[in-house]
Amino acid sequence: SDGSILNEKENKVLIVSRLNDNEKRISTALRIWKIIEQTEENDWNLIIVGTGPHESKLRQLTQELSLQRVSFEGRQESEPYYQTAALFMMTSAVEGWGLTLTESMQRGVVPLVFDSYPALSDIITDGYDGCIIPDNNLEVYASRMLKLMNDKMERESIARNGLKSCQRFSVENIVGYWTNLLQEL
């Protein structure tokens, strides 16, 4: 990955998630987005890819919060969305690993994540290849997102670091890791 993927980026924030609010807290993401829309007039859009039991509840909340720039895409192939998104939102209460995080990093999408589960620090170094935000702090989450929206150089620098650092999770590396581990047994 030579970073040319960064040329395809648009002013889009992406969520790829099952719409189960208990675990994924998409309603929290919508409340953060409300802060973004209230803070400044910009041309960024929030794209939500996925479906689940709370979809209609979340669509309703979008209307209640009078959000202007949110679209629910339903069940889609996520790849084209990663291609053009610049920022990735994860607001989960719990995750095992958070596969969508490594997926976003592999495609130059800068992840912003609540510090809510242990494996997170194995994937992201805050400020280097993504942003880790104190759990449940919507204001800090929104302000860090605004900073990245308004600072293309910073955004692309973090995206490039993500492209590099997520190579640790490539199949070859993980197979090599297990092969060495098993040979030591």
Side-chain angles (χ1 to χ4, degrees):
S1 56
D2 55 356
S4 65
I5 189 171
L6 298 185
N7 300 333
E8 298 175 48
K9 298 305 178 192
E10 297 168 15
N11 290 352
K12 292 179 184 170
V13 178
L14 180 63
I15 293 175
V16 175
S17 179
R18 185 161 158 67
L19 303 185
N20 177 335
D21 209 41
N22 308 345
E23 297 167 13
K24 306 298 184 182
R25 297 192 294 197
I26 308 296
S27 58
T28 302
L30 292 172
R31 290 191 173 90
I32 292 165
W33 191 254
K34 177 69 177 174
I35 299 172
I36 301 282
E37 286 198 4
Q38 280 177 326
T39 304
E40 61 182 68
E41 213 23 72
N42 65 28
D43 60 350
W44 284 77
N45 290 289
L46 175 61
I47 316 284
I48 301 172
V49 175
T51 182
H54 300 128
E55 183 170 349
S56 59
K57 193 182 89 166
L58 292 164
R59 284 177 180 272
Q60 194 183 336
L61 179 61
T62 301
Q63 290 182 321
E64 285 168 18
L65 294 172
S66 313
L67 299 174
Q68 302 303 309
R69 299 191 309 277
V70 175
S71 67
F72 287 84
E73 301 287 316
R75 187 191 300 279
Q76 301 286 341
E77 185 50 57
S78 57
E79 185 58 40
Y81 294 95
Y82 282 121
Q83 288 291 327
T84 56
L87 300 175
F88 186 84
M89 274 185 105
M90 183 184 273
T91 48
S92 307
V94 285
E95 280 291 340
W97 175 253
L99 194 59
T100 55
L101 273 189
T102 46
E103 285 178 356
S104 70
M105 291 165 81
Q106 281 159 354
R107 291 160 183 85
V109 191
V110 176
L112 295 101
V113 198
F114 276 133
D115 193 0
S116 62
Y117 67 102
L120 182 57
S121 55
D122 296 327
I123 306 174
I124 291 180
T125 302
D126 180 46
Y128 173 73
D129 52 14
C131 297
I132 299 177
I133 290 111
D135 196 21
N136 276 318
N137 195 325
L138 280 61
E139 284 72 23
V140 171
Y141 199 118
S143 73
R144 291 198 67 183
M145 189 182 288
L146 283 164
K147 186 176 183 307
L148 289 173
M149 287 172 166
N150 293 321
D151 188 342
K152 187 172 190 233
M153 278 182 66
E154 168 84 353
R155 197 167 71 234
E156 292 193 340
S157 157
I158 294 176
R160 281 198 185 87
N161 293 338
L163 288 169
K164 283 201 292 272
S165 70
C166 71
Q167 288 168 2
R168 295 173 295 168
F169 310 123
S170 71
V171 173
E172 299 79 32
N173 286 350
I174 288 175
V175 168
Y177 171 81
W178 282 104
T179 306
N180 293 339
L181 204 64
L182 294 170
Q183 283 169 348
E184 287 169 14
L185 294 177

